[in-house]
Amino acid sequence: LVYATFIATLAENGVVILEEPETNMHPGYLDVLAEQIVKNKKVQFFISTHSLELVEYLIKHAKLNNCSDDLQFVRMYRIDGDIGYEILSCEDARFEIEEIKADL
């Protein structure tokens, strides 16, 4: 958590790429991390994750801070050996998780 906060501070007006930030992080800190990511308007984050819990926290904080339009999810998948993807808005991701019970 401290590392992610430190990196975001150094990258002001830049880009931060986080690969599975939930790894080696106490689950209780995922909510704090998501809040920091959503509230930081000076950095663009690219995050790869397998954590549905982190995705849910990101959506929650985007809604609380009225910035759902700033958050997008790229879901990647493999079909017959080809890699495909789709871009989901915050609301589309929320719908799939809460209503359809899909795993992004």
Side-chain angles (χ1 to χ4, degrees):
L1 182 60
V2 172
Y3 177 75
T5 303
F6 184 69
I7 291 296
T9 303
L10 289 177
E12 188 171 311
N13 298 320
V15 173
V16 171
I17 299 170
L18 299 173
E19 182 176 358
E20 298 187 2
E22 70 276 5
T23 303
N24 299 320
M25 184 178 290
H26 187 279
Y29 291 140
L30 289 179
D31 189 33
V32 176
L33 176 65
E35 181 181 21
Q36 288 183 2
I37 289 170
V38 168
K39 285 186 172 181
N40 191 333
K41 302 292 186 196
K42 296 181 180 181
V43 175
Q44 184 174 14
F45 287 89
F46 291 89
I47 304 167
S48 68
T49 184
H50 289 99
S51 172
L52 187 57
E53 187 175 16
L54 178 58
V55 171
E56 290 171 336
Y57 283 136
L58 288 167
I59 292 168
K60 176 184 100 172
H61 287 290
K63 288 176 69 176
L64 288 173
N65 292 285
N66 296 316
C67 58
S68 295
D69 292 340
D70 296 341
L71 188 63
Q72 292 182 328
F73 296 89
V74 178
R75 177 173 36 201
M76 299 182 75
Y77 49 85
R78 185 180 302 262
I79 297 178
D80 297 327
D82 293 328
I83 296 175
Y85 70 93
E86 61 184 312
I87 299 174
L88 301 169
S89 69
C90 186
E91 183 56 32
D92 289 341
R94 185 211 57 79
F95 177 80
E96 290 209 14
I97 291 170
E98 292 178 7
E99 304 296 326
I100 301 176
K101 307 294 185 208
D103 186 359
L104 299 182

